[in-house]
Amino acid sequence: MSQILVTGGTGYIGSHTVVELIKAGYEVVIVDNLSNSKLEVLNRIEAIVGVRPKFYQISVQDKEAMRKVFEENDISCIIHFAGLKSVGESVLYPVKYYSNNLGSSITLLELMDEYHVHNIVFSSSATVYGTPTRMPIVETDPIGNCTSPYGNTKFQIECILMDFAKSHKDANVAILRYFNPIGAHESGTMGEYPTGIPNNLMPYITQVAVGTLECLTVFGGDYPTPDGTCIRDYIHVVDLAIGHVYAVHKLESNPGLVIYNLGTGKGTSVLELVNAFQDANNMKINYRIGDRRPGDVVENYANCDKAYKEMGWKATRTIYDACKDSWNWQKKNPHGYEE
Ligand code: NAD
Ligand code: UFG
């Protein structure tokens, strides 16, 4: 049986995707250098699906070590999650981001040539749309003009993949542009636990809820939106993970290059998310309205019709589900995957 190579498979989205792939009957091989994840994730995956995926602790940039992975397995498809993802850190250390994110992607494409692997799914981001000109965003809207080095890496990798697809008639490439993933596995055994003080909204909320942080600062209360706070498209991580299984199926039909937004199609404001968290979990979140965060766009939500029309995928879980699952994970694992 051939295998799916999941790079970054012990990370937040990767780990949930590995579970859904195994549930769908695929055999999975994970490559991760554990720069932003823990080995414990493998135990959690095994506890959920009863199978321990094969694991290599190496950097995707290390071509020699990666050759071993291709030699020892019969890879039919790659899902490429591995990458650095902190917008703020990318401004401070842009070269680290270009080197890791572009370097690992280029190495993978070279190895695809060398080992005749034709199918790849890539983790892109809504950030490639820069400052969007209309809502909801459709896949044909302009990309580029990203607001951070991190965003630029996603845009540039997309360009490389598009050229790769053009020059390789037998290649199948799925570029998936994620909106804002939140939530956790319903078991409460897998979820997101960023190192240090979280930059993203949901982990900040859960850490206030668990008492690690005192008060959420809502960045800006004077935006031109109904309640004055920014609007995003929050998608449950399990829905997003399932989207990857659909993308793998799609690639099996030899479509060439395909690009999909993966979101819910629905915008939710910061205060709506805070209220949903309070309602879903019957608790109060201590928050204050603060200044706007530089670089934030007012609203960002997806039109996801294309993913539904062409793959039959759509998000089915609600914001309420995501709030319950995020809290269930956080309260059962107050220190994430650490003992
Ligand atoms: P994550 O940090 O939890 O997972 C990424 C994984 O990649 C980590 O386990 C890390 O150790 C690993 N990694 C990094 N560089 C590596 C390398 N050179 N070799 C091997 N492993 C390496 O992040 P995530 O939230 O699961 O994101 C997964 C992908 O989705 C990333 O590419 C990210 O940019 C993209 N994405 C994430 C979001 C989000 O909000 N979480 C939004 C849009 C796109
Ligand atoms: N927010 C707060 N307080 C916080 C954290 C966030 O009010 O403590 C607000 C932000 O101002 C924004 C919203 O919550 O309005 C969401 O912020 P996040 O940081 O959770 O997410 P972003 O939309 O800013 O960024 C996410 C990913 C990026 C990606 C971007 C576009 O984190 O990697 O979506 O796809 F580039």
Side-chain angles (χ1 to χ4, degrees), residues 219-230 292-293 296-298:
F219 297 139
D222 58 352
Y223 282 102
T225 60
D227 66 16
T229 66
C230 287
R292 292 182 176 193
R293 180 171 69 177
D296 274 345
V297 296
V298 181

Side-chain angles (χ1 to χ4, degrees), residues 6-17 30-38 41 55-62 66 80-86 97 99-101 103-105 122-127 150 153-154 157 176-182 191-194 200 237 240 244:
V6 181
T7 74
T10 46
Y12 173 47
I13 307 170
S15 56
H16 290 82
T17 302
I30 297 176
V31 166
D32 200 300
N33 64 1
L34 301 182
S35 59
N36 197 35
S37 55
K38 296 274 187 276
V41 171
F55 176 72
Y56 294 84
Q57 186 181 343
I58 50 181
S59 168
V60 181
Q61 279 186 278
D62 183 345
M66 286 298 292
H80 182 34
F81 292 104
L84 300 173
K85 64 163 183 177
S86 162
Y97 272 67
S99 169
N100 190 67
N101 292 2
S104 61
S105 303
F122 174 62
S123 297
S124 191
S125 165
T127 194
Y150 164 72
T153 68
K154 291 295 174 192
I157 296 164
L176 305 182
R177 296 178 182 152
Y178 314 154
F179 280 67
N180 290 52
I182 58 167
E192 183 178 22
Y193 195 79
N200 297 120
V237 68
L240 185 59
H244 291 74

